[in-house]
Every structure is written in C-alpha cells, then in structure tokens.
Amino acid sequence: IWIIDRNRLQISGGTEEVMALEGLKNKVESFGWETVTVNGNDMDELHEGFETAKAVKNKPVCIIANTIKGYGSSVCENKAGWHHHLPTKEEYELIIKDLEKRREELCHE
C-alpha cells in the first residue's frame, strides 16, 4: 500500500500553481495501481480506506489521502511556509493549545 499525502502544498506554494498534479488518480492507475481516495484528516475514512486496500488482490493499492497541512492549528493550517519553518516557543504553545482544543471537540462528538 502506497499512501500519498495530497495536501496541495509544496515548499514554494500551492502545487497547482507551481507544478500541477491534477489527474493524480488517473496517473497512478495508468501504472496498474488500484486507487482509493479518502479524507486523510478523518480517521474513520482512513480506516475504511485501509480496509478497502487490504481487500484488493493481485495489484498494488495507492491511498490518496486528501489532507490539510497543519490541520487543526490556526498557526500553521494550510500554510506552505511550514514545510521548512521551525516554530518559535510562542508558536509551539499556540499549536499545542489548538490541537488540545481540537481533541476535546472530537472527544465530545
């Protein structure tokens, strides 16, 4: 199983502006792979994607996980610059606070 984290960002900006990757599913399938597309920020969908992949026989499987880079943090969510940025102490504390808030929300759904 090959997993592609499809967050649509790279170090210098959005992939579609810098080096387009659309048609990714068709490109992967052209090499004989089965593809499964999931919301990579949803644990239930990821689990279902792995279960689907495990059921495929006689060919490799690629899971295209559509994600949001830095998901759950107001500091770094969907920001290309975080491919190479080290957080300051203040940024780190905000990120942890954001993720703890997100975890609490998920626990109460």
Side-chain angles (χ1 to χ4, degrees), residues 59-71:
K59 66 185 339 185
V61 180
C62 175
I63 296 175
I64 301 173
N66 291 303
T67 63
I68 298 172
K69 182 170 186 56
Y71 183 71

Side-chain angles (χ1 to χ4, degrees), residues 43-109:
M43 296 309 279
D44 291 332
E45 274 197 46
L46 275 171
H47 183 264
E48 287 177 31
F50 280 109
E51 292 302 311
T52 300
K54 289 190 312 188
V56 174
K57 303 298 180 210
N58 300 320
K59 66 185 339 185
V61 180
C62 175
I63 296 175
I64 301 173
N66 291 303
T67 63
I68 298 172
K69 182 170 186 56
Y71 183 71
S73 171
S74 62
V75 176
C76 55
E77 186 173 294
N78 211 28
K79 296 177 183 169
W82 279 83
H83 271 83
H84 56 83
H85 179 78
L86 294 174
T88 64
K89 184 178 192 283
E90 293 79 18
E91 289 170 331
Y92 174 80
E93 289 170 357
L94 284 171
I95 292 166
I96 295 301
K97 186 177 177 182
D98 285 342
L99 295 178
E100 286 173 350
K101 180 181 176 194
R102 178 73 180 132
R103 182 182 65 199
E104 285 299 313
E105 290 169 356
L106 288 171
C107 287
H108 293 98
E109 283 186 354

